[in-house]
Amino acid sequence: MKKILLLICSCLIFTATAFAKPIRPFPMVMYSADSQVGSPTNPQVGPPTDAEFQELKDWGINYVHSYSLGRDIKKDQQFFDLAQKYHLKVAANLDGKSRVGVEGGLDAMRAYVEHFKNNPALGFWYLYDEPPYPKIKAADILPFYQMLKAETPDVPVAVCHAWTDHWYSYTDVQDILINGLYPVTGAPFPDAKLNQLTAFTKGAVHLSDTVIPVIQFFNWQNLAKPDEIKLRGYAVDQLRYPNTAEMRYMCFSSIAQGARGLAFYSYFRRTPPDPKWAEQTAAPVLRQVRKFADQVLDPGTLKWRSAENDCLISVWQVQDKTYMILANATSQRRDIDQSLEQIPSGDLQPWGKTRKVRASIKSAKITVSQAKPWEVFIWEIVSK
């Protein structure tokens, strides 16, 4: 059903959302930027600390979110103040689940918006998290979206979607389409179904000019109940975190597909089981994303994009420099031989942590020898 829906989406023409202006700098949004308090094995949500927001800033994050926001203005003011202190923007959760379809919900949300709408830390409104169709349809959310655009016409409005039926039917109540899917469960590398996120993002960029995919930043063990022995089709002790190759693929392939930001779920859920995974495995990838986004991803720099033969390619021109992302969108090790339109021949110089391989551009074609499963290559193309 999901594949059919994506095919339908890709064949239809949709109008652009109301807020098509790129958000700069490139948003990197951390979900649930909250402290863990209490038991290390069963932590509770607490207010974030200076050290935690500094850590997020060091990783390249520039937007912070919390599901605790949206209800208590006095408490939430502290979150906004701390974000401003560290030059972070707030993806301001409006607690849509407890407002939409509830008597007095619109007025309560309006009062909250009126308080924070001029706050310098406000980044965008996070209106609703995974609306459950048909219980909550776009028509139910529309009065709240209209209120937000009346109060803050220049502040974009986001709705987050899981890959469920009718996720594509909310285009009239969002400026930012956030799509979340977490494919790394218990399958050994390279068998995690990363292609599901690729397919979801493909459908999303057909719908919206501003898409922010949510990248898995946790181990499914974290969500297992104490008495569960199996989750997501695997024994709980088989569930694992994304490795470096999977993190690189999910991040940079999304950028190659046209994502205008990335989000990460979530800081609060990053541990348990492993307190070192975030800093040792995920953070180095996030820092590379931040560096690439700041160096390359400015409006108007995209030159060419292709998604053929399980090969995702985007090329950017930044003044006199040309950059390319090529992602092997498959779990197979393989040689790549792909046509390139209007891209001159040149030497491929690896950027960042890109592995050095035999690769070349000649006669409007790129060849790569033995790309690894889900491998991402980032090059600067230097004219000969």
Side-chain angles (χ1 to χ4, degrees):
M1 172 61 79
K2 292 172 181 174
K3 291 182 178 179
I4 293 173
L5 292 175
L6 286 172
L7 180 61
I8 293 171
C9 290
S10 66
C11 294
L12 296 176
I13 297 175
F14 294 88
T15 58
T17 52
F19 195 92
K21 182 181 178 182
I23 304 172
R24 301 302 302 160
F26 185 84
M28 293 177 63
V29 185
M30 183 58 74
Y31 269 80
S32 300
D34 304 296
S35 283
Q36 295 183 344
V37 296
S39 167
T41 58
N42 186 28
Q44 304 301 308
V45 172
T49 65
D50 285 76
E52 288 165 336
F53 271 19
Q54 182 62 63
E55 179 175 57
L56 292 172
K57 183 77 173 179
D58 291 344
W59 289 352
I61 297 297
N62 57 352
Y63 282 74
V64 286
H65 161 278
S66 174
Y67 288 109
S68 298
L69 298 178
R71 295 182 289 274
D72 187 330
I73 288 176
K74 184 177 180 180
K75 179 174 68 67
D76 293 357
Q77 184 67 53
Q78 299 174 9
F79 189 95
F80 274 77
D81 291 345
L82 190 64
Q84 184 180 359
K85 179 178 178 180
Y86 288 93
H87 305 286
L88 299 167
K89 293 292 186 181
V90 177
N93 182 46
L94 292 173
D95 195 27
K97 288 185 177 181
S98 67
R99 304 298 190 198
V100 175
V102 176
E103 185 176 356
L106 183 60
D107 289 337
M109 187 182 290
R110 180 183 288 109
Y112 188 91
V113 168
E114 288 176 346
H115 179 84
F116 286 107
K117 67 181 183 181
N118 294 315
N119 192 292
L122 175 62
F124 60 83
W125 301 118
Y126 189 91
L127 175 53
Y128 208 105
D129 188 73
E130 300 183 359
Y133 187 95
K135 182 180 178 181
I136 299 295
K137 298 180 180 180
D140 301 310
I141 301 175
L142 184 59
F144 295 81
Y145 176 81
Q146 291 173 331
M147 178 273 293
L148 292 173
K149 301 317 292 184
E151 292 283 348
T152 55
D154 295 327
V155 179
V157 177
V159 175
C160 180
H161 303 278
W163 201 22
T164 53
D165 290 346
H166 294 274
W167 64 268
Y168 51 83
S169 64
Y170 296 85
T171 54
D172 292 337
V173 295
Q174 63 195 16
D175 306 321
I176 302 172
L177 192 165
I178 300 179
N179 60 300
L181 190 151
Y182 313 122
V184 179
T185 53
F189 183 81
D191 296 332
K193 297 179 180 179
L194 306 188
N195 57 308
Q196 292 182 343
L197 178 62
T198 304
F200 194 3
T201 300
K202 177 182 178 181
V205 297
H206 276 286
L207 284 175
S208 175
D209 288 330
T210 306
V211 171
I212 299 180
V214 189
I215 307 303
Q216 183 174 343
F217 203 82
F218 70 101
N219 183 327
W220 278 100
Q221 286 186 34
N222 188 279
L223 295 172
K225 298 176 182 178
D227 59 344
E228 279 188 299
I229 60 174
K230 195 171 184 180
L231 182 66
R232 311 297 290 187
Y234 293 90
V236 168
D237 61 3
Q238 285 185 280
L239 298 169
R240 64 180 180 86
Y241 287 94
N243 63 24
T244 297
E246 290 163 331
M247 286 296 294
R248 274 179 60 87
Y249 177 82
M250 290 188 288
C251 291
F252 285 108
S253 70
S254 296
I255 291 172
Q257 288 183 280
R260 288 192 172 180
L262 295 175
F264 304 88
Y265 181 90
S266 74
Y267 191 68
F268 180 76
R269 295 285 183 187
R270 71 195 185 280
T271 186
D274 183 359
K276 297 180 180 180
W277 173 83
E279 177 58 41
Q280 293 182 351
T281 300
V285 178
L286 268 60
R287 293 186 182 108
Q288 287 286 292
V289 172
R290 178 82 274 154
K291 183 178 180 180
F292 183 82
D294 291 345
Q295 184 174 330
V296 177
L297 300 181
D298 280 324
T301 59
L302 179 67
K303 187 173 183 179
W304 186 76
R305 176 171 289 140
S306 171
E308 298 178 357
N309 305 318
D310 291 322
C311 189
L312 306 174
I313 302 175
S314 280
V315 177
W316 294 266
Q317 185 74 44
V318 183
Q319 297 179 354
D320 60 343
K321 294 185 176 182
T322 304
Y323 298 91
M324 174 191 292
I325 290 177
L326 185 154
N328 177 24
T330 173
S331 61
Q332 304 301 310
R333 177 188 286 267
R334 61 177 180 143
D335 293 330
I336 292 173
D337 188 345
Q338 184 68 36
S339 297
L340 294 176
E341 297 177 4
Q342 303 175 355
I343 305 300
S345 299
D347 292 328
L348 297 173
Q349 296 187 357
W351 184 96
K353 301 295 183 180
T354 297
R355 184 172 67 97
K356 293 183 179 180
V357 297
R358 283 187 292 139
S360 63
I361 298 177
K362 294 180 181 178
S363 303
K365 181 181 292 187
I366 185 167
T367 58
V368 182
S369 177
Q370 290 296 288
K372 294 180 179 181
W374 310 115
E375 188 166 13
V376 170
F377 302 95
I378 308 174
W379 294 296
E380 180 183 345
I381 304 174
V382 179
S383 299
K384 294 181 179 180

